[in-house]
Amino acid sequence: MTGRRRPGQRGDRGRRDERGSGSILVGGLGVLVVAAVWMGVCLLGWLGGARRASEVADLSALAGARAQMVSDDACTAARRTAVANDAAVVSCAVDATAVDFVVEVGVAVKLMPRVSLPGAPDRAIRTARAGPTR
């Protein structure tokens, strides 16, 4: 009986102890894949929110600059534009002289998906400036 093992020998027992380890490995990999996809969705949502905040800040600053050119309140126009785009004005400043002005607007946009992770951002704040060209 050379080369053949009988039941109960050392080689069989080693294989029996490893039964089910593949299932645990596949389960663990599945959890890692789900976590990676979830984090990817959150990251893409946050990046999209930051981009949207930049766009709304630009629009609000341009609206404020246009209002300032026709002697209206620049910050009110910037707030109206931000609210129309589901954002909020965080700060608004008009630096005006007799011949020139700059409207600086900061807006905040809520980020999606909303997650309750410690340290995770819940809004993006961006600032834009607008004024006449020389």
Side-chain angles (χ1 to χ4, degrees):
M1 289 202 143
T2 353
R4 295 184 72 200
R5 294 188 183 175
R6 294 185 315 187
Q9 281 186 331
R10 187 174 182 184
D12 287 341
R13 189 176 309 130
R15 271 189 241 134
R16 239 184 269 134
D17 290 344
E18 293 178 7
R19 289 189 70 159
S21 62
S23 300
I24 293 173
L25 180 63
V26 168
L29 287 175
V31 168
L32 287 177
V33 167
V34 168
V37 168
W38 181 74
M39 287 305 295
V41 166
C42 288
L43 181 63
L44 288 175
W46 293 336
L47 290 174
R51 169 81 183 231
R52 188 167 170 279
S54 294
E55 292 169 355
V56 173
D58 288 341
L59 284 173
S60 298
L62 288 172
R66 184 170 185 269
Q68 183 71 22
M69 286 177 60
V70 295
S71 300
D72 282 343
D73 185 23
C75 290
T76 301
R79 280 188 192 87
R80 276 195 309 259
T81 303
V83 168
N85 288 284
D86 295 326
V89 172
V90 175
S91 65
C92 180
V94 179
D95 181 17
T97 62
V99 293
D100 198 10
F101 67 90
V102 174
V103 178
E104 183 173 0
V105 179
V107 298
V109 173
K110 291 182 182 177
L111 298 178
M112 293 296 176
R114 298 195 70 152
V115 292
S116 58
L117 292 175
D122 61 345
R123 65 184 184 153
I125 300 175
R126 297 293 183 266
T127 303
R129 298 169 56 100
T133 59
R134 293 181 188 219

